[in-house]
Amino acid sequence: MRKGRIARILRAGLSGLVVASTGVIAPAPVLGQEGRLQRQAGSLRPPWRSDRTPIHLRIPSEFVVEQRWDGSGGGAVVSLDYPGMRPFRNRPGCESGCPGLLVVTIRTGEESEVFRRVWRLRRSLEHQDPAQAGVTTPIDAPRGFTEAWHRVTRIPQPAGGVRLADTMIYLRTGADGTPEEFVVCDTRPETLRPYCDVMTTLDGSPSVQLNVVYDLDRWPADHQAIQAAIGQLVRSWL
């Protein structure tokens, strides 16, 4: 992958750390009504309580793209080469992307990104405007997930007309309905490559939030293996 392209990916990852963006390679599509909903004070406050216990991870410097830790928690962005789970290193043949690259954003001591994203989705589903931005439709959830949706986004083209882009969304909840995992798989043309953005927490440490982004070709076959490998690695940094 050319140096400029990998830098763009990792800078996008930093935005996920600093401003809690919707994804680390590219922002998730936004329904037309959702922007107006965000301006309604309190309308997007999730009903679930976030675990904001501050935890300071000791991450070896060779893994780190950026990090910030203080008394209230903090976070880091790391780049990994899967399946070896070593620090990612640029190499020939990655001009259009490296399938083994995982970009992981770790956050602690903050409001839950999973809760926020799920609540925004549920609110936006109540105010869809298909003519303006597209439509999100419930579909059968795959094994291991509770709910799923297919989002078709309308993207205006410079030469006129509209291009339709697909996004798949998956949600796993606990027995009490609390969101535990939120996945967005995106194929929009402005992304560098089709990707999946997996948002969850570290097993046994719910205040440690994990955003994991990888190539769409690895979904869903490698999903469980990737999550297990990342969980094992991050636990070694506690």
Side-chain angles (χ1 to χ4, degrees), residues 213-228:
V213 175
Y214 51 78
D215 198 279
L216 179 62
D217 290 344
R218 292 192 175 277
W219 176 270
D222 295 337
H223 170 62
Q224 294 296 334
I226 288 174
Q227 295 303 114

Side-chain angles (χ1 to χ4, degrees), residues 12-221:
L14 298 182
S15 71
L17 169 63
V18 177
V19 300
S21 75
T22 55
V24 297
I25 284 185
V30 178
L31 297 178
Q33 292 290 337
E34 192 170 346
R36 286 189 287 276
L37 284 170
Q38 293 182 43
R39 293 193 290 270
Q40 299 175 13
S43 67
L44 294 177
R45 184 176 298 278
W48 311 283
R49 178 173 295 182
S50 299
D51 186 331
R52 301 187 61 179
T53 304
I55 295 178
H56 187 144
L57 277 72
R58 297 176 293 275
I59 305 175
S61 59
E62 62 266 25
F63 287 93
V64 176
V65 176
E66 181 68 24
Q67 63 179 331
R68 168 184 56 81
W69 303 103
D70 53 38
S72 62
V77 177
V78 302
S79 60
L80 303 172
D81 202 341
Y82 181 82
M85 303 305 287
R86 299 301 305 159
F88 179 83
R89 295 290 181 264
N90 192 15
R91 56 182 180 268
C94 288
E95 287 76 12
S96 61
C98 283
L101 172 63
L102 309 179
V103 179
V104 184
T105 303
I106 306 167
R107 290 188 286 265
T108 75
E110 298 183 3
E111 294 291 334
S112 169
E113 178 74 0
V114 171
F115 293 173
R116 187 181 71 85
R117 289 291 302 279
V118 171
W119 192 239
R120 283 178 58 186
L121 173 64
R122 296 206 185 284
R123 294 288 294 163
S124 66
L125 289 173
E126 299 173 2
H127 300 271
Q128 294 198 75
D129 185 354
Q132 180 177 2
V135 64
T136 303
T137 306
I139 59 175
D140 292 337
R143 183 177 181 180
F145 288 86
T146 313
E147 297 180 74
W149 298 265
H150 175 210
R151 172 180 287 167
V152 178
T153 306
R154 296 168 56 88
I155 303 175
Q157 300 299 291
V162 173
R163 181 188 184 279
L164 300 181
D166 292 309
T167 302
M168 307 303 293
I169 305 171
Y170 308 97
L171 170 65
R172 176 172 57 84
T173 65
D176 62 353
T178 301
E180 295 180 349
E181 185 175 23
F182 190 75
V183 181
V184 176
C185 293
D186 204 340
T187 61
R188 290 176 301 150
E190 62 265 35
T191 61
L192 297 177
R193 288 172 63 93
Y195 72 94
C196 286
D197 183 0
V198 181
M199 290 157 266
T200 186
T201 59
L202 183 65
D203 287 346
S205 300
S207 71
V208 179
Q209 301 183 56
L210 302 174
N211 260 76
V212 184
V213 175
Y214 51 78
D215 198 279
L216 179 62
D217 290 344
R218 292 192 175 277
W219 176 270

